Amino acid sequence: MKNNNFSYTSISDLSKLIQNKDVSPVELTNFFIEKLVNEGPSYNAVAHINEKSAIEQAKNAEKSILNNEYLGPLHGIPFAAKDLLATKDGSPTSWGAKPLIKQKFDIESTIITNLKNSGAILSAKTSMVEFAGGMGYQQPDASAFGPGINPWNKSYWSGGSSSGSGSAVSAGLIPFAIGSETWGSILTPAANCGVTGYRPTFGIVSRFGSMVLSWTLDKIGPLALSAEDTNIIAQSIIGKDDNDPYSVKTIYDTNKKLPPNLKIGIPKGIDYNIQNEVKDNFRISLAKLSEKFEIIEIELPDIPTSAATRTILSAEVSSAFEEIFDKGLQTKLNAKETHYSVLSTNTVLAKDYIKSLRIQNMLNEKMNKLFSEVDIIISPVKPKTASQIDENFRWATRKEFNEEHPISLIGAIGNLIGLPAISIPNGFDKNELPTSIHFIANNHQDDLVIKIAEYIQATTDWHNNHPN
Amino acid sequence: MIKKLLELVKYKTKYIIPKDEYNSLETRIGGIISDSEELNNIKFHNMEFPPIKNHEKQ
């Protein structure tokens, strides 16, 4: 099977090759490590390549499979993990930050342990925005590894903060990569790079061993080539973990069937004042869904969701990074605009933090009510496609786009109360940059969002388009 | 108010903040004040909506 190109091959197809012994895990791992070494730098996608330990894991996988001890569809499949997930293989975990470029841990993140226990092979750590964007960066060059470059067009940003996870999967450098999201950091790079990104229900995927940005908001999930692949990964990463005090049990049904009377909600005004191609492609996706499901217009709760999310984030950042601030390490970051401005997080009032947590509770009640009327909410992930690599994106976005727009609001709602979501590509704009939609469901309905995405991808081909 | 909070930041963090950084710091303090004012528009009764963290919703 030498000289095969395994890029963009689905996990289920790769696993069939492995299970049938048509390809060995070592061959597959070598193939993807070579891709990461040769092409990773052109996207600023890679923080560290775990070559030695990956080959060792691959050899063990090969041995087990030859002994007919096949563990399942991830056995022998290489993956990468965002550079904020601790490993004890001696490789650095730098949190995307120059001052911590040599940081090492003697613990292993539960999500990596779970994937390894399923036979998956950790091959690299992917680059990311420094401190996962917690300092308040305003432009793409806010990473020790340079700005995340979009494989569809190198003049555009891959998105953040899971920049390298998005570009590595999109460029075919790895079958899947783990990212994290506090407020948009899985869905944004997935959308910018035209891959499938899954944000799990808060607490169902352990965060043990992951850098903390916000105890209340952080989630960890994969970026992959399809919802079908995501379904395979979800089975390995979901599970209660006593090492994470926020961890909760859930029931995830791999073979979930979509109910025939499924109702899909569209937030009122969702396609107002957005990029034309995003609007057009969204309407085409809606038309496709309306062939089978009922589409209902909904109103999102009118409460200060973005202000509450930002307040919780600021307050928790000031505590999570106290040690960093005490040492002044943030003044050595790439994003100069954050060096001192992040100290503003010290001014959040305790009353406002508590109020925000109460708003979280109120929002949860309101969304429970909304989810008694619809099963799923659909929205474009972003009002426009990827921004340019040298663009001050926050400024550009704020000028053109109100944060109370339903697209912004559904992003804030989903992150404030930890709703599951999946982002999938649904077309292109005139610059051949991907547009994307996402599905959001009530907490613990992760199988539902993944299955609706699988349904769309079974009847469309956008996820099978890849950069040249 | 922003100037007073800037003094508070300097006092609490013991940082010597370069003067050319005041503007970006004040902008973000302004954002926090603006969020605070928005949060003030919501009034809860004493027993309404205790602060339940996500993981406690089960």
Side-chain angles (χ1 to χ4, degrees):
Chain A
M1 296 293 288
K2 275 195 173 168
N3 300 321
N4 254 334
N5 184 353
F6 299 112
S7 288
Y8 305 122
T9 307
S10 71
I11 291 175
S12 54
D13 284 345
L14 288 175
S15 68
K16 275 178 208 150
L17 291 172
I18 288 173
Q19 198 176 8
N20 294 335
K21 302 181 182 74
D22 290 331
V23 63
S24 83
V26 174
E27 185 184 349
L28 204 57
T29 302
N30 275 325
F31 171 83
F32 283 109
I33 283 180
E34 201 176 313
K35 294 283 285 184
L36 289 159
V37 168
N38 293 337
E39 298 175 39
S42 63
Y43 305 107
N44 292 334
V46 179
H48 183 82
I49 295 175
N50 301 48
E51 185 169 2
K52 195 177 161 195
S53 64
I55 296 299
E56 198 176 308
Q57 289 170 67
K59 282 180 180 170
N60 287 338
E62 187 169 301
K63 198 172 157 189
S64 302
I65 290 163
L66 288 172
N67 285 335
N68 293 319
E69 294 162 359
Y70 184 65
L71 294 175
L74 288 180
H75 203 171
I77 306 289
F79 75 101
K82 188 172 180 178
D83 187 33
L84 50 59
L85 293 165
T87 55
K88 54 180 179 184
D89 57 5
S91 67
T93 306
S94 72
W95 301 354
K98 260 185 199 162
L100 302 179
I101 205 77
K102 291 180 180 169
Q103 176 175 246
K104 288 183 182 174
F105 292 94
D106 58 5
I107 56 165
E108 185 170 77
S109 307
T110 297
I111 189 168
I112 288 178
T113 303
N114 287 345
L115 286 164
K116 281 185 176 176
N117 288 343
S118 298
I121 292 160
L122 176 66
S123 303
K125 302 233 177 102
T126 44
S127 63
M128 56 181 277
V129 173
E130 45 206 9
F131 296 122
M135 302 296 122
Y137 70 118
Q138 297 188 3
Q139 37 78 32
D141 190 18
S143 171
F145 308 99
I149 291 171
N150 195 318
W152 288 96
N153 185 328
K154 290 187 173 179
S155 301
Y156 288 81
W157 187 37
S158 62
S161 63
S162 308
S163 316
S165 298
S167 53
V169 174
S170 174
L173 311 185
I174 197 81
F176 73 97
I178 302 301
S180 72
E181 170 151 333
T182 304
W183 194 349
S185 287
I186 290 174
L187 299 187
T188 299
N192 280 9
C193 296
V195 300
T196 299
Y198 162 50
R199 178 186 76 208
T201 292
F202 179 90
I204 69 167
V205 173
S206 171
R207 304 171 305 173
F208 175 73
S210 174
M211 183 202 84
V212 174
L213 177 51
S214 162
W215 292 274
T216 305
L217 304 171
D218 293 347
K219 285 84 56 184
I220 302 178
L223 293 93
L225 293 169
S226 68
E228 189 188 6
D229 282 0
T230 303
N231 186 34
I232 293 170
I233 301 159
Q235 294 165 56
S236 285
I237 63 174
I238 290 172
K240 186 162 172 21
D241 176 20
D242 291 340
N243 284 325
D244 177 355
Y246 291 75
S247 174
V248 292
K249 274 186 188 164
T250 196
I251 296 170
Y252 182 84
D253 181 1
T254 314
N255 301 309
K256 174 95 177 174
K257 300 276 179 253
L258 290 175
N261 57 349
L262 184 105
K263 291 177 182 158
I264 299 175
I266 325 172
K268 196 175 173 184
I270 198 79
D271 60 359
Y272 172 70
N273 196 24
I274 61 176
Q275 185 180 332
N276 284 338
E277 297 98 320
V278 173
K279 184 191 287 188
D280 294 345
N281 296 342
F282 179 64
R283 285 181 177 168
I284 292 167
S285 298
L286 272 185
K288 186 92 198 161
L289 286 161
S290 68
E291 290 168 8
K292 187 158 181 181
F293 306 112
E294 187 180 354
I295 311 282
I296 300 170
E297 191 171 76
I298 55 167
E299 293 252 16
L300 295 174
D302 182 21
I303 54 176
T305 306
S306 297
T309 311
R310 204 160 33 232
T311 300
I312 290 170
L313 183 56
S314 293
E316 296 192 6
V317 158
S318 72
S319 175
F321 295 113
E322 187 177 12
E323 189 186 2
I324 299 293
F325 301 149
D326 283 351
K327 291 178 180 169
L329 296 183
Q330 88 284 2
T331 62
K332 296 173 173 54
L333 296 175
N334 258 31
K336 290 191 170 54
E337 70 275 16
T338 67
H339 287 183
Y340 295 91
S341 67
V342 70
L343 300 174
S344 62
T345 55
N346 282 281
T347 66
V348 174
L349 297 177
K351 169 182 170 265
D352 289 338
Y353 177 67
I354 301 291
K355 171 78 75 73
S356 298
L357 292 173
R358 295 179 79 182
I359 287 172
Q360 183 190 49
N361 188 1
M362 181 169 74
L363 178 65
N364 194 50
E365 195 173 294
K366 286 181 183 291
M367 289 305 290
N368 275 335
K369 192 167 170 237
L370 191 54
F371 281 120
S372 68
E373 295 160 18
V374 295
D375 301 287
I376 282 176
I377 297 172
I378 184 174
S379 161
V381 178
K382 296 166 66 247
K384 52 184 266 195
T385 50
S387 52
Q388 292 189 45
I389 201 78
D390 54 357
E391 193 175 345
N392 182 326
F393 58 86
R394 286 196 192 252
W395 174 246
T397 304
R398 281 187 183 171
K399 260 202 318 191
E400 296 162 11
F401 193 65
N402 182 342
E403 76 167 17
E404 295 312 319
H405 190 288
I407 293 179
S408 290
L409 197 49
I410 194 65
I413 289 170
N415 278 291
L416 183 56
I417 58 172
L419 301 175
I422 191 164
S423 163
I424 57 169
N426 74 331
F428 294 92
D429 72 1
K430 63 182 180 215
N431 295 320
E432 295 188 5
L433 289 165
T435 63
S436 288
I437 50 171
H438 70 314
F439 298 100
I440 307 107
N442 206 357
N443 286 134
H444 299 276
Q445 300 284 309
D446 296 59
D447 42 16
L448 194 62
V449 291
I450 288 176
K451 287 297 167 178
I452 188 84
E454 266 191 43
Y455 167 78
I456 284 279
Q457 291 184 336
T459 53
T460 60
D461 211 31
W462 300 115
H463 63 295
N464 289 324
N465 283 268
H466 305 295
N468 290 324
Chain B
M1 177 58 82
I2 290 176
K3 297 282 180 205
K4 283 179 184 168
L5 286 172
L6 177 63
E7 290 306 313
L8 178 75
V9 169
K10 286 198 278 189
Y11 172 74
K12 281 176 75 173
T13 63
K14 313 291 182 210
Y15 266 66
I16 298 164
I17 299 168
K19 288 215 166 115
D20 60 356
E21 295 283 350
Y22 281 12
N23 191 38
S24 64
L25 184 48
E26 286 174 358
T27 301
R28 284 183 67 176
I29 291 172
I32 287 169
I33 292 172
S34 161
D35 284 341
S36 179
E37 285 166 357
E38 204 179 328
L39 295 172
N40 254 340
N41 293 329
I42 295 264
K43 299 291 178 193
F44 292 128
H45 294 295
N46 173 268
M47 285 177 278
E48 275 186 322
F49 301 110
I52 296 174
K53 292 261 190 171
N54 281 343
H55 67 295
E56 293 167 335
K57 286 189 304 197
Q58 309 308 305

